[in-house]
Amino acid sequence: MEARVSSSLGLPSPNPHEISISTSLSDFPSLLTHFPPFASTTSVKWPRPNPKPQPLKSLPLLDRALIGAAAGGLAGAFTYVCLLPLDTIKTKMQTKGAAQIYKNALDAVVKTFQSSGLLGFYSGISAVIVGSTASSAVYFGTCEFGKSFLGKLENFPAVLIPPTAGAMGNVASSAIMVPKELITQRMQAGAKGRSWQVLVEILQNDGVMGLYAGYSATLLRNLPAGVLSYSSFEYLKAAVLQKTEKNNLEPVQSVLCGALAGAISASLTTPLDVVKTRLMTQVRGEGVNKVAAVMYDGVSSTVKQILKEEGWVGLTRGMGPRVLHSACFSALGYFAFETARLGILREYLRRKELRERETQVSVSTA
């Protein structure tokens, strides 16, 4: 039973027969140059049912993690850029005093367009590209490492591997994600200048630790959100693969599983996201706007102040845009990740086969 669950989750069996694959880690950067990211779904040939074990399961631990990191970096940059406008509206709705500025999400869209045009929806895009690529690479690389490592532990329950791997990925990636989100949300809330200018201003006013304002709230949000999203997707994926008896999800299946997982996660963790946004968008001295200039001391005091001034409704600010954003983000993200990982894996195996042939020719001619 456990072997079947492990197989459906894309994990090694409790007592796997490891296939030794020797490859140079220096080949990984060049693999990406041969992989056209995010090509049309018609150009991706998804594998059909195969009685042989999946190639990914037989890879060494570090190689599997590196493939996951490369695919995650590509998927993260693509997804974050596509959905930045929704994230901008969500941030504006959650900022202190938003209820006095915007009637609803549509009003926020109209006023953002009137004041800044289309570029107003892409504030902080450079920080998003750099930060999302790095944080997504660390996140998915760590998740793949965790799945592979935990899957080799005979006594570790297979059903707990997805949430544990998701938690590991979130803890590792938050160190990069928090400064990226801080800069992006300051710009979305009204800070002037480019991303690097906002970064310099934060360092001048608050020092290096200023880049981690809201770090505890981010972890408080990301851990349950990450566990819910990653676990939901892995469980849904396992159920679909068991039903279809295939090795990989079809594109539409990746999109649907990802969207459902993202919606579940976002709806349950919106209060944590509101607290995190309030901590990140506060500024010292004169605020970027008067309603956002209030100072919060920490997570507990932020929650108390929100409940005191706005009631329980205050903790649900921006839920609509956030659920929509998270569903779209997870749908695009998991689809892009699965597609990128499959493409990189195929190039990896193709190069490995070529090296083996060259070795055989060299031996036969020697």
Side-chain angles (χ1 to χ4, degrees):
M1 175 63 184
E2 184 159 345
R4 186 172 61 197
V5 174
S6 298
S7 177
S8 64
L9 289 173
L11 304 168
S13 60
N15 295 294
H17 299 288
E18 293 293 335
I19 300 177
S20 176
I21 295 180
S22 175
T23 185
S24 172
L25 298 180
S26 62
D27 289 340
F28 278 94
S30 60
L31 289 180
L32 300 181
T33 63
H34 292 266
F35 172 63
F38 321 121
S40 64
T41 56
T42 56
S43 65
V44 179
K45 297 180 180 179
W46 294 78
R48 295 300 170 186
N50 192 330
K52 297 180 180 180
Q54 296 182 39
L56 190 64
K57 295 181 182 180
S58 64
L59 296 183
L61 188 65
L62 185 57
D63 288 12
R64 182 172 175 177
L66 288 174
I67 290 177
L74 291 171
F78 170 76
T79 307
Y80 272 99
V81 170
C82 287
L83 297 177
L84 185 58
L86 275 176
D87 188 60
T88 298
I89 298 303
K90 184 231 19 162
T91 299
K92 289 180 178 293
M93 292 293 295
Q94 291 182 346
T95 302
K96 170 73 175 178
Q100 286 74 45
I101 302 175
Y102 309 112
K103 298 177 181 178
N104 48 48
L106 180 60
D107 186 47
V109 171
V110 173
K111 289 183 177 178
T112 300
F113 181 78
Q114 289 176 340
S115 61
S116 307
L118 287 176
L119 293 179
F121 296 99
Y122 288 91
S123 298
I125 189 170
S126 58
V128 168
I129 293 175
V130 175
S132 62
T133 300
S135 62
S136 296
V138 172
Y139 173 75
F140 280 106
T142 304
C143 286
E144 288 297 307
F145 179 88
K147 281 177 60 179
S148 183
F149 176 77
L150 295 173
K152 298 179 186 297
L153 302 180
E154 296 183 10
N155 296 326
F156 197 90
V159 72
L160 296 181
I161 290 178
T164 305
M168 292 169 60
N170 273 280
V171 171
S173 63
S174 289
I176 300 173
M177 185 181 297
V178 171
K180 182 268 295 183
E181 285 198 3
L182 178 68
I183 295 171
T184 302
Q185 292 193 342
R186 287 285 178 88
M187 297 187 70
Q188 291 172 340
K192 304 298 182 182
R194 297 182 178 275
S195 298
W196 67 269
Q197 292 173 317
V198 176
L199 171 62
V200 171
E201 183 179 355
I202 293 172
L203 292 174
Q204 289 177 342
N205 294 337
D206 305 310
V208 175
M209 294 307 297
L211 292 173
Y212 290 90
Y215 182 76
S216 59
T218 300
L219 280 181
L220 186 63
R221 178 203 66 175
N222 283 358
L223 280 176
V227 168
L228 284 170
S229 177
Y230 188 76
S231 300
S232 297
F233 178 79
E234 287 294 318
Y235 294 144
L236 290 169
K237 176 182 175 181
V240 172
L241 294 181
Q242 188 175 20
K243 183 71 174 179
T244 60
E245 298 183 353
K246 295 183 179 181
N247 289 335
N248 295 280
L249 293 175
E250 297 290 343
V252 66
Q253 294 170 343
S254 296
V255 171
L256 293 176
C257 289
L260 183 57
I264 293 172
S265 173
S267 61
L268 295 178
T269 58
T270 293
L272 300 176
D273 190 58
V274 172
V275 174
K276 186 269 309 180
T277 299
R278 294 291 176 90
L279 287 169
M280 281 189 166
T281 54
Q282 66 179 344
V283 293
R284 298 188 180 279
E286 186 177 355
V288 294
N289 58 60
K290 292 182 179 180
V291 295
V294 67
M295 297 300 297
Y296 297 103
D297 295 328
V299 174
S300 60
S301 64
T302 303
V303 173
K304 292 177 182 178
Q305 188 163 348
I306 292 174
L307 292 176
K308 179 180 178 181
E309 297 178 357
E310 305 172 47
W312 289 100
V313 176
L315 292 174
T316 64
R317 298 287 183 191
M319 177 178 285
R322 183 166 189 266
V323 170
L324 177 61
H325 173 273
S326 183
C328 294
F329 176 85
S330 296
L332 284 175
Y334 283 116
F335 162 72
F337 173 72
E338 293 285 329
T339 304
R341 183 174 63 172
L342 184 60
I344 296 173
L345 176 62
R346 284 177 171 172
E347 181 65 21
Y348 172 96
L349 295 175
R350 185 186 70 82
R351 293 188 173 215
K352 171 184 173 294
E353 184 178 357
L354 288 176
R355 283 195 298 272
E356 289 177 347
R357 290 179 180 177
E358 292 175 356
T359 302
Q360 291 175 358
V361 171
S362 300
V363 172
S364 61
T365 57

